[in-house]
Amino acid sequence: MKAAILSVGTEILFGQIVNTNTVYLSRELNTLGIDVMYHYTAGDNSGRLADMLKMAFRDCDMVITTGGLGPTEDDLTKETVCEVMGDTLEMNEKCLADLEAIFSRRGYTLTENNYKQAMMPTKAVVFDNDAGTAPGFALTTEGKTVICMPGPPREMTRMWERRVRPYLLSLSDSVIYYRLLRTFGIGESKLETVLLPLIDAQTDPTLATYAKEGECSLRIASKRHTLEEAKAAVDAMAEKVSEIGGEYIYSYDDEDLHQVVGKKLIERNITVSACESCTGGMFAERLVSVPGISAVFDRGLVTYTERAKIEELSVRRETLEEYTAESREVALEMVRGLKEKTGSRLCISVTGVAGPDAMGEKPAGLIYIAVSFDGREDVRVLNTGKSDRQANRNAAVLHMFDLINKTIG
């Protein structure tokens, strides 16, 4: 099945809001085996909205709209969809009762324009909205389907998960199951090259790579008659992928790297401390987002200046003068000082040139990470080749977590 996503709202065209709905729905539809062919955005104009619906239906079987289901005069999605699909609106008594109950709970009185939200196409399958006031619906005419959902992301995602996704699954005689494997230390093109023998031979399950800043994901999906069959096929393919590229895979269940590392530290009761220079606390901030990390995370120090490195970590002034703060030698003295100060089983340090400017002969993106664990020390040198300050800081944090992951095994 081919689909288009049509976002409705002048505020999107004006750049007043970020359209996260399209990203979310594209991913969700993909997992159902529905190919998203187009993304459209229309302002609050019935004529242009109708034109886009007709255009989308030239190539697609389904159009999913978000937005334009509110009570005001410029909310025209339902009226326009009825016009294009050859239906009319009528008062839906259940929708009206739900709307009245919502307003009663909030202590408000329905105004005349609120009744508009209870008007539904006569042939529609109606979707309750338990996160807002605007119901959604699905309307099918001559093999073409429009599914309309509210625009606010919280309402849209809730309706998708509880109403629309189950509805679409009920129409299919097959089940799709997928797993998302996460990798680090390998680019998308190289990952595809490594997995080429599997990709060239694929029918079902299918493999698809997705690049993300600093890492890469691999989706394995299967469409079978039962969930058990699809899951077995995906798991078997995941084993084959692991045999070829397992050294790069850090998660088989779509987890972020800091979540994987944080869980390992907790499960193995490995105490950890960190001292950060160029990342300014980003590592600690990401680590403390892992539930339960307080059981093992002792402290995080932001030793940004040379003075801080000397006072907090006992880095020698002579080392700073000879090698500069952005060096392998200073990274090692930082982690040794942290080990002495905290006694944590695992200590990690980072220092480098975040950018955008170089520091003397040292380019932006040159970063040193040192780790100390059970008497062993290691230093990783990273050179991103970028002048983007935020990108360099993020890359450093990812490499810190990857170094920990490799170190503790």
Side-chain angles (χ1 to χ4, degrees):
M1 180 178 286
K2 297 178 180 179
I5 299 171
L6 174 50
S7 307
V8 182
T10 302
E11 66 275 12
I12 300 174
L13 294 176
F14 283 178
Q16 294 172 339
I17 64 170
V18 178
N19 185 9
T20 59
N21 288 344
T22 297
V23 176
Y24 175 86
L25 287 172
S26 292
R27 291 174 178 165
E28 288 293 311
L29 289 166
N30 195 254
T31 66
L32 295 179
I34 298 173
D35 297 320
V36 178
M37 309 303 293
Y38 304 102
H39 291 167
Y40 297 109
T41 301
D44 299 310
N45 179 284
S46 182
R48 287 192 286 273
L49 180 55
D51 288 343
M52 285 192 176
L53 281 167
K54 294 172 184 175
M55 181 167 56
F57 276 134
R58 292 174 192 166
D59 295 326
C60 299
D61 314 291
M62 177 189 299
V63 178
I64 296 183
T65 77
T66 60
L69 300 180
T72 61
E73 289 187 3
D74 62 353
D75 289 308
L76 301 167
T77 299
K78 283 189 292 191
E79 292 84 349
T80 307
V81 167
C82 281
E83 173 192 332
V84 173
M85 303 295 282
D87 201 349
T88 57
L89 293 172
E90 67 177 9
M91 182 60 67
N92 184 291
E93 295 301 326
K94 184 181 183 307
C95 290
L96 179 59
D98 290 344
L99 196 61
E100 290 173 338
I102 292 171
F103 273 71
S104 176
R105 286 196 302 269
R106 297 177 180 177
Y108 298 142
T109 302
L110 280 170
T111 58
E112 190 61 35
N113 60 354
N114 288 128
Y115 287 97
K116 174 182 176 182
Q117 290 186 294
M119 300 289 288
M120 287 286 131
T122 62
K123 302 172 185 176
V125 175
V126 178
F127 304 124
D128 295 339
N129 183 351
D130 53 13
T133 59
F137 64 89
L139 182 60
T140 300
T141 302
E142 297 179 357
K144 302 289 186 179
T145 299
V146 177
I147 293 177
C148 297
M149 290 187 288
R154 177 173 174 271
E155 297 182 35
M156 188 278 297
T157 54
R158 184 85 67 87
M159 185 176 290
W160 169 267
E161 292 168 358
R162 300 188 179 186
R163 306 285 185 266
V164 179
R165 193 173 193 276
Y167 169 77
L168 291 174
L169 285 172
S170 71
L171 302 179
S172 175
D173 60 356
S174 58
V175 175
I176 292 178
Y177 175 81
Y178 78 99
R179 288 175 68 179
L180 202 62
L181 281 54
R182 304 280 289 269
T183 71
F184 187 81
I186 185 170
E188 185 179 19
S189 58
K190 185 177 179 181
L191 179 61
E192 185 178 71
T193 301
V194 169
L195 298 176
L196 208 56
L198 298 177
I199 293 173
D200 284 346
Q202 69 179 341
T203 51
D204 184 296
T206 58
L207 293 87
T209 56
Y210 302 92
K212 183 183 176 183
E213 185 178 354
E215 51 185 301
C216 189
S217 299
L218 175 70
R219 193 200 65 179
I220 307 174
S222 178
K223 186 176 183 180
R224 303 292 172 107
H225 290 297
T226 68
L227 178 61
E228 291 74 17
E229 291 175 347
K231 187 177 185 303
V234 168
D235 291 347
M237 180 60 77
E239 289 185 13
K240 294 180 181 179
V241 170
S242 182
E243 291 172 3
I244 298 176
E247 63 184 295
Y248 301 107
I249 301 169
Y250 68 80
S251 173
Y252 289 83
D253 296 299
D254 193 22
E255 293 179 294
D256 287 325
L257 185 53
H258 66 273
Q259 293 173 319
V260 171
V261 171
K263 288 179 181 178
K264 281 187 179 181
L265 293 170
I266 295 168
E267 290 167 358
R268 302 179 190 181
N269 195 31
I270 299 174
T271 53
V272 59
S273 290
C275 52
E276 304 177 61
S277 185
C278 60
T279 52
M282 282 179 66
F283 172 86
E285 189 277 332
R286 210 164 290 182
L287 185 61
V288 298
S289 70
V290 179
I293 199 65
S294 59
V296 294
F297 185 38
D298 178 62
R299 72 193 74 181
L301 304 178
V302 178
T303 51
Y304 211 70
T305 64
E306 291 189 0
R307 176 186 170 187
K309 292 176 177 67
I310 293 169
E311 293 181 355
E312 300 294 335
L313 303 170
S314 301
V315 174
R316 293 178 300 162
R317 189 176 298 278
E318 294 82 3
T319 306
L320 290 163
E321 290 174 352
E322 182 174 357
Y323 298 103
T324 77
E326 300 76 25
S327 64
R328 171 192 291 268
E329 291 76 11
V330 167
L332 273 171
E333 289 198 14
M334 285 172 67
V335 83
R336 289 167 182 166
L338 185 66
K339 184 79 171 179
E340 182 69 24
K341 191 181 191 77
T342 66
S344 293
R345 186 177 168 191
L346 186 145
C347 289
I348 191 162
S349 69
V350 61
T351 185
V353 186
D357 301 319
M359 297 192 71
E361 297 180 355
K362 297 185 176 182
L366 179 61
I367 295 161
Y368 298 88
I369 303 166
V371 66
S372 173
F373 178 65
D374 285 352
R376 293 180 285 119
E377 293 179 341
D378 190 16
V379 178
R380 178 177 293 187
V381 182
L382 171 65
N383 195 340
T384 68
K386 297 178 180 179
S387 60
D388 187 317
R389 185 176 182 83
Q390 190 63 20
N392 288 333
R393 294 173 69 218
N394 186 63
V397 171
L398 285 172
H399 277 268
M400 290 173 76
F401 280 108
D402 181 61
L403 182 56
I404 293 174
N405 198 37
K406 297 277 198 312
T407 299
I408 64 178

